[in-house]
Amino acid sequence: MTDNHVPRPVVASGEIAVRGVSKSYGEAHLSREVVKDCDFTIERGKLTVMIGPSGCGKSTLIRLLAGFEFPDRGQILLDGQPIKGPSRDRLVVFQESALFPWMTTWENILYGPRARGELNAQALEFAEFLLNKVGLREFRHKYPTQLSGGMQRRAELARAMINNPQIMILDEPFRGLDAMTKELMWEYYANLYEESGRTNFFVTTDIDEAVFLADRLLIMTNIPTQVRAVIEVDVPRPRRLADMVTSDRANAVKMEALAILHEEAMKSFSRGSKAAADFVEAYARRSAKA
Amino acid sequence: MPTQDKQPVSPDILLGILKATMPFQVVSDAMLRRIAAISWKVSYRAGDTLYEAGGPADDLYIVVSGKIDHELAPGVNARRPMKTLGEGDVFGWAALLEKVPNRLAKAVCTEDALVIRINGEELLKTFESDPDAGDVVMSRFATMITRDYTVPDLIAQLRGIHRKLHARDAQGMNVTLYRVSRWLKSPRPYLMLLGLSIFFGCWYLAVEVFKLPRFREMPGITTVVTEWLNPNPVFGLSLYTEEYYKHIAVSVWRVTQAFLLATALGVPLGLFLGWSKGVKDYLFPIFEMLRPIPILAWVPIAIVMFVATESAVIFLTFLASFFATALNTMLGVESIDESYTRAANCLGASKSQVFFHVIVPGALPFVFTGLQISVGVSWFSLVAAEMVSGQYGLGYVINTSYTMVRYPTIIIGMITLGAVGYVTSAMVRVAGDYMMQWRVRELALGAR
Amino acid sequence: MARRKFDSKALAKGLFSILVFLVLWEIGSRSKTWITAEAFSGFREALGALGFNKNYLPWVGAIPAPSEVVVAWGKVIVDPGYWQSWWMSGARVGGGFFAAMLVGIPFGLALAVSRTAHGIGFPVFELLRPIPPLAWVPASIIFWPTQELSIAFVTFLGAFYTIVINVVGGARSIDVRYFQAAQSMGSSKADIFRRVILPGTLPSIVVGSAVGMGITWEVVVAAEMISGGGSQSGGTSGGGLGFFIWNSYVGGSYEQIVVGMISIGIAGFISSELLRHFGKYITPWLRLR
Amino acid sequence: MSGQPGKLPGGAPTRGAIRIEDVVKIYDPGGASVMAVDHCNLDIAAGEICMIVGPSGCGKTTLLNAIAGFHEITSGRITLDGEVLCSTERPKSTPGSDRVVVFQNGALFPWKTNLDNVAFGPIMQGKLSKAEAREKALSMMADAGLNGVEHNFPGEVSSGVRRRIEIVRALMNDPKVLLLDEPYRALDSLTKSVMHEALLEIYYKNKVTIFFITHDLEEAIFLGHKVAIMTSRPCKPKKILTVDIPHPRDYGVLTSKRFRELIEETNEAVHEEAVKAFQSGEKEG
């Protein structure tokens, strides 16, 4: 199926500028700075990948970008306008599936249009198109628990794309899948991205995933999070896994990134006691619920 | 005697030194700088005695250069009492022990030495201000002492401090005050007051001011309170009468007996039901057959079966608790991940060891959930049993007050019952927290 | 939910042990002296020293044998009064239970959704909750004009607390990611309530109502016994199963007590099974897998 | 060969050779009759790190369970240093502290402190007194860089630390073989790479035979002396690869030429099985 069959608006805008953003959590003297003076730009139409040690505050950054929380200092600008709250322009695909367990695949995909009262023929047609695209046609009436891990992630991608967001924000979307399924998902996702050409912001801890997907790689420091290095991954698209393994350029990027990440990971590792990051993660989860 | 008096050290130099010592290695720079602020450098000549066993344990020492002979007093029971310390070694850790105000060892300088001295009290205070980091250091001290000196006994004391750090973290004045002030700033206390005043206000207005149709017969709040606080109660029961406490005591005693009996029988039964499929196959059907019968339906049979009313009442109270406890214990055992028992098998545990080290502690969270429910239902059935057949007890008070038309006493009985019931279940909760430290600490971290 | 495997061996074992139980019961009650206080006479001295009284021990001989129970049941089963008791109790349970659902679910949702409502309502709720429902019986008799209503009120109370607690707990434990996902797809507050909070709370409503149903039966039986079985009638008819038991006791027909107990057990079992199936039906996403 | 443990400092290990001969495992032989392992043959030398790679649910864990003694086999034979663990005649081996398992989701007892967890084995076997076991545990934990967490409960430390503690707990018993069942599956990949180095470090000190199950080819080639790529259900070796990258290794290996060549060489075989498993998984779904 090709694109001219589908009623799909062209995405033209979507550039995020993060300017001197800081954020801390915790009470009184127990408070900890999780993100500190963070500065970077997510360029229009590009796939920017952020990589850093686990629990380094990447998820906090995502909550800030999505508008679930606000920075203590600094600004986040979307096409020059500060972000005021969650919006369908910036769609988040979560780490581990956030498909509504009480809805079938079909209902999940249609959630966005239905919630906004835009459930029309066009939306249905687009949903049908997406369902085919992610290969879940036969599974439309299944509940998420009946789908395999890989299928859940695909359903989630479809649920996000039906909203035509300016920017897709993905928080370790393939975490927890086994290595083999994961690799299949990468090719799949890269393909979707290449077709749509919209701005994507992808967060991961997997170096292979990062190098394979990224146009631009942001490497973050350990907590408090800052941008440690930016690497442009100038490997031509479309990319295939087999080619990436043999590509010298990809390997050079991997080597460079690995050296930095290894150092950062070691830093967080040397502390035996529950890492500060774990504490902050836990705290953030708790306060988000309360 | 030191050849030189205490002199301040530059923080940067000290940072380097502390980073090279085992207990302080992993501490953040910020913390190290704070430690640097309470540290002094002191030089000794060969032959100087730094301290004798029994002397006051004030400072902690770190060797920068030179050699120190460190000999633990015989009373410490160390397996390796004598040790020569050099660069990077830490000694004088008696200053950090809980119950030891005095030195445990003798330290003599054998080669001109430069040492860093840190006041133990000050150091502990620094740890308390950042319990997370303090914890790591204390723990590393414990490791060091066991490894280098082999005196496991002392570890307990370090651990005591380490626990205290935890406790202080939770109850620390600062945090508490901060939380209280935040609570007061939030709308919650005022909403709570509003809610309670609406409730009591409605009660007052409906019964005593407007005398609404059906409410007129109900005892009003002022009547209840004056009766309750009256030294000479109109209906014979108040905070000042001996009777009142006797009823409470009788009810509490009955619940206690029934609860203890239910726990003593229910927990083992539940453990076996969950542990052995054979036991479960045989016994569980009988259990399931009897369980749907409401406890109160047992009342007449209980009266018939027991000659003494007292034991009938306890039997009924026991029965409800027993089912709750046994069932939850069984579920608890069944919920234990198979890999725990497998791991124990791998590590060479016998069947009975698996039972006591894995099954019992693993089921504990569910057991306590069961006990929590069990207290609740035991009060529930006690009240019913006392109402139907009993002399004394809060349920009896409520029922007879009705038949004797002492209406305010009914409400007094109800309130007392609620309060006593609340206290007993709180006690079970506290006991559970005490026995399951690991869960308390996990939950405090928000780990699960 | 795990698929239940039909295990014929386990079934045989279960039937065997139930049979053993019944046989022991039969023997125990027929012998009249077995497990009596007298059988323990050897221990009496020792127990007495510990402050025990022989009267503290159960006397199985006082309980009618299973065979007698079956005979009594055969007689009662043709009595329309017995079936009317079923009906009365069932109606009371149903009424109280549905009232509790009707009030409890919206109340619980309000507490869960609105911080203000929670701040005002929850402390009062927590204040009243430790008072066992049966302690309300006399107060309820005084307040309500008819005895029927007072029984219904206590029944309602029994299920109400459990349902509210479960609704509040369930709504609060919904994963934040679902809210965030919904928000980032542009849902309104009303939409989040309808499409996320409601279905997300449903499983705990089902659990809460199952527990609530159990409590309802307990309360109904007790209330019927305490208040003397409904307004008008005497005899076996009309008072509900709780009164059926009480009346059998007063009338000295002990076989009928056991018949009543078993009947209530069956009734409770049926109602909780019905509820379980209904719960499965309304939460289809939990049924699979 | 440069990849052999014999080249390591401290002499060659002499114990812990596992031989798997013609092992077959059929679940529910009467009814559904699902074949999990099909005539599997595998030789693991003493002190070797053997990586078992295959898609999830292919039957790798069945093999591990047979060695550990959690499940019986249908036919075949498994020996450890020539001693028969299980065979057609005696289908189930007895779990013992010479073969310790590190579980996929971790099985540190949450109700014991980390120290007591590590000290658990010798105390249970009655080999050491409580105090002695604790002392040994402390020094082993310190050697593995785990000081500072001894008196915490497992729930209080990060998952990476938990896995290291679990490995130390296993090594406390001086086992012949360590059986690891996808121990790093739940960790993120950066922590994982640090964990790999930590595991190798421990291995260089103890040189115990390691039977390591994974679905990650990179992990397998990075750690292993030998990599057995298994077929999707029923499970048996499809290809056995000897990794000739010299030990000791560090993360630099990941970007070396030889490493990439090995990945390339095996990628196809693994990918094929993955797609097979993926598709059959979808059908089941």
Side-chain angles (χ1 to χ4, degrees), chain A residues 54 151 154 178 208 274, chain D residues 56 156 188-189 218 260 282:
Chain A
S54 114
M151 290 156 94
R154 281 185 276 158
D178 74 59
D208 289 310
K274 188 147 178 127
Chain D
S56 5
E156 293 179 288
D188 70 82
S189 22
E218 276 204 22
R260 281 163 63 201
E282 308 284 62

Side-chain angles (χ1 to χ4, degrees), chain D residues 23-29 32-40 57-59 62 74-75 232-236:
Chain D
V23 167
V24 175
K25 170 74 187 177
I26 298 170
Y27 282 106
D28 196 11
S33 206
V34 179
M35 191 178 243
V37 179
D38 179 19
H39 295 280
C40 176
C58 84
T62 311
T74 310
S75 70
S232 174
R233 199 165 265 247
C235 162
K236 70 177 189 185

Side-chain angles (χ1 to χ4, degrees), chain A residues 91-102:
Chain A
L91 216 100
V92 184
V93 176
F94 290 89
Q95 171 181 86
E96 283 162 25
S97 167
L99 290 172
F100 300 121
W102 46 85

Side-chain angles (χ1 to χ4, degrees), chain C residues 56-68:
Chain C
Y56 287 180
L57 294 168
W59 179 30
V60 178
I63 306 172
S67 53
E68 293 166 6

Side-chain angles (χ1 to χ4, degrees), chain C residues 167-190:
Chain C
V167 171
V168 175
R172 297 208 144 194
S173 66
I174 297 174
D175 200 321
V176 241
R177 283 177 310 151
Y178 298 138
F179 294 110
Q180 293 179 342
Q183 276 180 338
S184 79
M185 284 185 281
S187 332
S188 60
K189 279 200 162 170

